[in-house]
Amino acid sequence: MILNEISETGELSITEMHQRLQIPKSTTFVILSTLEKHHLIEKCAEGKFRLGPAVLHLGAAFARQTDIRAVARPHMELLVQGTPFTAHLATLVGNQPVYIDKAEGDGFVRFATTIGQSLPLHASGVGKALAIGMSDEEIANAVESKLEPLTGKSYRTIEEVLEDIRMARKLGYAVEDEQMEEGIRCIGAPICNASGKVAASVSITALAKDLPVFKLQQIGERVKQTADSISRDLGYAPDPHSTQENG
C-alpha cells in the first residue's frame, strides 16, 4: 500500500502516509525503515520519501522474465474457444509484422499460416494493429514502396492507409477486410508493454462467411478486450485521465 501510494503521488511524509492509508505511525515507521534498507524507497527533502532505485531493478527483472507468448497464449485460446477463428500473435521486425504464435479455434478450416511468417503492415490485421503505435510518418515510410494491390480491396494510396489506421486508433482495433486475400477477414488489436509502448498485436483470422460485416464491431471489441488483458498482464497500466485516442 505504501509503495503504491508513493508511486501515485511522488513524495510522501510519514504523517501523510498515516493519514492517507490509516496505518499506525509506529507501523508505518517500521515498514519505511525496511523499504529504505532495501533501497525500494529513499528519503528526500523535508523528510519525505520517494521510490528508490531498487524499484527500477525489479521492473527491469520483470520485463526480462516476461515472455509475451506465455502471457498471451491463454488469452488467445480463450478468444477463439468455441469459434471457427484462428488467433495470431505478432510483433514488428523492422517494419513488418511477424507471427510469433498461433492458436486454433474449433472450425473445420485451418489457415496455412506459420510462426515466423511476415506480412504486409498495411494489409494485415496484426500489421494495422501494430501501426496504431506508429506515427503517420513512420507508417508512410514503411509502406510507401509496398502498395502493390493484392486483391480488389487493397489500398492504392498512402492516404487510404493512414485514414484506416486513424480510424483504428479511435476504435482500439483494426479491420482487414479481404485486402490481403479474398474471402478472408482479420481483426487485430495492439498490445502494450509496461512502458506503454505497442509491443505486439493479437488478431483473429476467419473466412468472410464466418465473420460477416455486421459482426465486425462485436468481434472487434472482443479482440480489443483480449489485447487489453494481455497488456495488463505485461504490466501496462493505462492513465485513467488520458484523453488520447486509444492505442
Side-chain angles (χ1 to χ4, degrees):
M1 291 170 61
I2 289 174
L3 286 173
N4 286 337
E5 195 68 21
I6 294 175
S7 70
E8 291 178 4
T9 58
E11 295 180 0
L12 283 175
S13 67
I14 293 179
T15 300
E16 288 170 331
M17 293 180 208
H18 162 68
Q19 293 172 343
R20 288 170 178 264
L21 304 176
Q22 297 299 301
I23 301 174
K25 283 190 176 181
S26 58
T27 304
T28 303
F29 180 79
V30 171
I31 295 173
L32 289 173
S33 296
T34 302
L35 294 174
E36 188 176 15
K37 176 182 177 182
H38 293 280
H39 306 292
L40 290 165
I41 62 171
E42 60 185 13
K43 191 174 291 186
C44 51
E46 301 177 358
K48 293 189 176 185
F49 292 87
R50 64 186 177 191
L51 295 179
V55 173
L56 181 61
H57 174 74
L58 291 175
F62 172 78
R64 287 195 304 270
Q65 295 169 13
T66 300
D67 183 340
I68 192 170
R69 290 170 297 182
V71 171
R73 184 72 188 189
H75 295 285
M76 294 169 62
E77 291 176 347
L78 184 61
L79 176 63
V80 298
Q81 184 178 353
T83 76
F85 307 149
T86 296
H88 291 100
L89 182 69
T91 189
L92 277 180
V93 177
N95 287 321
Q96 280 192 296
V98 173
Y99 287 145
I100 59 174
D101 203 2
K102 174 181 179 179
E104 301 278 8
D106 300 325
F108 177 76
V109 174
R110 290 291 183 264
F111 295 98
T113 50
T114 58
I115 308 304
Q117 177 181 348
S118 61
L119 303 103
L121 182 74
H122 63 289
S124 63
V126 289
K128 291 182 183 185
L130 286 164
I132 287 175
M134 302 168 64
S135 68
D136 286 1
E137 183 179 3
E138 289 171 329
I139 296 168
N141 290 336
V143 306
E144 186 173 14
S145 61
K146 300 177 181 179
L147 284 176
E148 64 277 3
L150 302 174
T151 73
K153 292 187 176 182
S154 296
Y155 292 137
R156 265 74 170 178
T157 68
I158 291 175
E159 189 55 38
E160 287 180 308
V161 176
L162 294 178
E163 283 298 318
D164 193 0
I165 302 305
R166 289 167 190 152
M167 178 58 68
R169 291 186 186 122
K170 294 179 180 179
L171 295 173
Y173 61 86
V175 176
E176 183 266 297
D177 185 10
E178 301 184 84
Q179 292 163 331
M180 188 168 69
E181 187 175 350
E182 292 182 0
I184 305 295
R185 290 192 175 114
C186 299
I187 302 177
I191 296 169
C192 294
N193 59 22
S195 65
K197 302 294 184 182
V198 174
S201 63
V202 62
S203 74
I204 58 100
T205 300
L207 296 176
K209 69 178 184 65
D210 293 327
L211 186 57
V213 172
F214 71 87
K215 285 190 175 181
L216 290 177
Q217 182 178 0
Q218 174 191 352
I219 303 301
E221 289 296 330
R222 285 187 56 195
V223 176
K224 179 182 180 300
Q225 290 168 9
T226 298
D228 290 345
S229 295
I230 298 170
S231 298
R232 284 193 296 271
D233 286 355
L234 289 172
Y236 174 59
D239 181 358
H241 305 296
S242 175
T243 58
Q244 291 182 339
E245 293 175 350
N246 189 355

